[in-house]
Amino acid sequence: MDLNNLRSILLVLIAAIGLHWVSATQSGDIEPAQSVSSEPERVAELVADQIASGDFSCPRSRPVMYEACLLYQGALSTWQTVGYPDVCPNISNNPVSDQSAIKKVTREDALRAPKVACFSYLYATQVAAAVPVLISSADREFLNLNGAFAEPGTNPDLCIEARHGICGNQTWVGIELLKLADLKARPVEFYYNDEGQRLNHVIPEVLIDGGWRPIDTTYGGYWIDSTPGVPFALRTLEEVLDKSISGTKLMRNRALLPYAFYEKTRQFDPFSYLHADAAIIRGGEGTITLSLTSKRGTETFQAIPNFLGDNVRDGNSIGVSYKFKGPIGNYKVTVNVAGTGQEGDQPIRICLDGSCRNFSSDQHQYQFLARQPKSLTLKSDADVAYVVLQSIEWDREDQ
């Protein structure tokens, strides 16, 4: 296989989950994304009961709970070895001190662990390291290339049973594992360009100690401040992206396949999505930039979200919007809608800058005239309200 063919496969591997997500919405009949306030079972209570009974076998009735139980036990043991601190020990270049006075873990330790920053960091790092092994991208590509592929989707139990997937599958498994440990988590999507080609990636972000901390469940990575003398903690996404902040260090399992192989043989950078110009969608909210460089064109949403508005049950209606970037001129913009989703009967308006059109399920085309349009948004008071976009067309008259 030559380099160009292998690169094409790599790009498909990285971008496929974004393509899957947008293709799933083409019919206009999609379910809202998982609620960010869902309440899963509590693995803390499970492990606490294990400690009380002395039976540490994890239940196998639900695959994701079984894995969460094992990861929770592992994080608890690591936390135990450093004395159950609220704040993790400092980063040090010195040998580890004597651990002869380790205290036995109690039921109360297991129950309070998710409320403690140090334990939460340790559990999150366990999730980052485990998910790429549980959900194999290499196995997914084998099945896909050999005609036996079945998409497990965003159901974490199905993903673990299938044992294969890519970033979207891995992210939803990671989010569920974090939620089972009583940690708030949400997906973070990155949309970026590499050598003129659109790519995307998605990872979980977990709320610990007042900050949203990214972990990469595809490449087994997380980011810390490696400065000696500061406590071990995960960086926030803002800190990771801010190149002026010193000390940020990527921690990861470099033995994971196929990425270590690709990095060494094909100059593949798995973390190229951490780019200052990447569009970021966090928890279903954010803005995608669309380039209107040509005088006439059609956007069909390859490798970017193809819906406008909010499809997350989270109590707000911010959702996804689009920002236009193009030369000065008078534009005719046509928005073609394939379908819609809504909870309740609140009105929906499609707006280009300050000009809005009332949405109707019987109407599939909305036209706007604007001088150098800046943004396309959906406005509604509904918690969930979105339209699935078939395309956006534009025609510019330069002046």
Side-chain angles (χ1 to χ4, degrees):
M1 180 182 296
D2 63 30
L3 176 59
N4 288 333
N5 286 338
L6 180 55
R7 174 176 173 78
S8 296
I9 291 175
L10 285 174
L11 294 178
V12 169
L13 174 66
I14 298 167
I17 192 60
L19 296 175
H20 166 70
W21 279 1
V22 295
S23 65
T25 67
Q26 290 296 337
S27 67
D29 183 20
I30 61 176
E31 290 295 322
Q34 277 187 259
S35 169
V36 296
S37 61
S38 61
E39 295 285 343
E41 300 171 77
R42 299 185 70 244
V43 71
E45 293 176 352
L46 171 62
V47 175
D49 290 343
Q50 290 176 334
I51 292 170
S53 68
D55 180 2
F56 294 97
S57 58
C58 294
R60 292 182 175 271
S61 56
R62 188 183 178 204
V64 71
M65 176 57 87
Y66 174 76
E67 301 297 343
C69 174
L70 295 175
L71 294 175
Y72 199 93
Q73 290 175 349
L76 201 58
S77 70
T78 305
W79 188 44
Q80 179 184 20
T81 63
V82 292
Y84 310 107
D86 288 353
V87 177
C88 283
N90 290 349
I91 301 293
S92 173
N93 294 326
N94 300 319
V96 177
S97 59
D98 178 46
Q99 299 180 2
S100 59
I102 295 176
K103 297 180 181 179
K104 188 175 181 180
V105 65
T106 67
R107 187 176 190 278
E108 289 68 30
D109 293 325
L111 288 173
R112 78 181 183 92
K115 302 179 180 67
V116 176
C118 184
F119 172 85
S120 300
Y121 289 133
L122 295 173
Y123 183 80
T125 62
Q126 290 266 84
V127 171
V131 171
V133 178
L134 292 172
I135 316 297
S136 168
S137 294
D139 289 349
R140 191 261 190 194
E141 281 308 288
F142 172 81
L143 295 172
N144 189 34
L145 294 173
N146 289 280
F149 174 68
E151 173 59 64
T154 61
N155 183 304
D157 290 305
L158 291 180
C159 288
I160 291 176
E161 288 177 348
R163 305 290 290 191
H164 68 259
I166 45 179
C167 58
N169 312 107
Q170 292 152 336
T171 291
W172 284 108
V173 170
I175 287 173
E176 184 70 0
L177 289 170
L178 292 164
K179 286 185 175 182
L180 286 170
D182 293 337
L183 297 174
K184 291 184 178 180
R186 65 187 183 187
V188 183
E189 304 161 45
F190 299 84
Y191 298 92
Y192 61 107
N193 287 279
D194 181 28
E195 297 182 7
Q197 182 164 0
R198 285 178 177 171
L199 298 174
N200 53 58
H201 189 53
V202 58
I203 63 174
E205 195 175 39
V206 55
L207 183 62
I208 302 175
D209 198 22
W212 287 96
R213 325 281 173 164
I215 61 173
D216 193 313
T217 47
T218 299
Y219 306 126
Y222 54 90
W223 294 263
I224 66 168
D225 182 350
S226 63
T227 306
V230 303
F232 177 89
L234 303 188
R235 288 287 208 192
T236 65
L237 182 58
E238 287 76 16
E239 290 169 336
V240 173
L241 293 175
D242 188 345
K243 302 306 179 184
S244 68
I245 298 177
S246 62
T248 298
K249 182 177 182 180
L250 170 65
M251 308 291 290
R252 60 179 296 226
N253 181 356
R254 293 185 179 275
L256 289 171
L257 284 173
Y259 308 113
F261 171 74
Y262 291 155
E263 285 179 71
K264 293 301 182 183
T265 63
R266 295 296 182 262
Q267 299 300 308
F268 166 64
D269 178 11
F271 299 96
S272 61
Y273 63 89
L274 293 172
H275 193 280
D277 294 332
I280 300 175
I281 304 296
R282 305 175 84 165
E285 300 177 7
T287 301
I288 301 293
T289 299
L290 298 179
S291 179
L292 311 183
T293 53
S294 61
K295 293 193 65 171
R296 296 177 184 83
T298 301
E299 174 59 61
T300 57
F301 308 101
Q302 294 299 309
I304 60 174
N306 71 335
F307 73 96
L308 177 69
D310 182 21
N311 74 336
V312 179
R313 297 186 185 100
D314 59 359
N316 67 53
S317 55
I318 298 174
V320 173
S321 60
Y322 299 90
K323 180 172 68 174
F324 293 131
K325 184 178 181 181
I328 295 175
N330 295 321
Y331 288 76
K332 181 173 77 172
V333 178
T334 302
V335 179
N336 296 304
V337 176
T340 184
Q342 182 181 10
E343 292 185 348
D345 56 1
Q346 293 93 334
I348 297 176
R349 294 182 297 162
I350 299 176
C351 299
L352 181 67
D353 299 337
S355 178
C356 296
R357 304 283 186 269
N358 292 326
F359 173 79
S360 170
S361 58
D362 297 327
Q363 183 177 348
H364 298 285
Q365 190 174 85
Y366 301 82
Q367 290 189 338
F368 300 86
L369 298 177
R371 181 167 179 79
Q372 196 177 13
K374 296 179 176 61
S375 63
L376 182 69
T377 58
L378 193 76
K379 295 184 178 180
S380 176
D381 292 330
D383 182 19
V384 173
Y386 59 92
V387 295
V388 180
L389 300 175
Q390 180 176 332
S391 64
I392 295 176
E393 303 171 17
W394 71 91
D395 191 339
R396 184 181 72 243
E397 180 181 339
D398 293 328
Q399 288 192 0

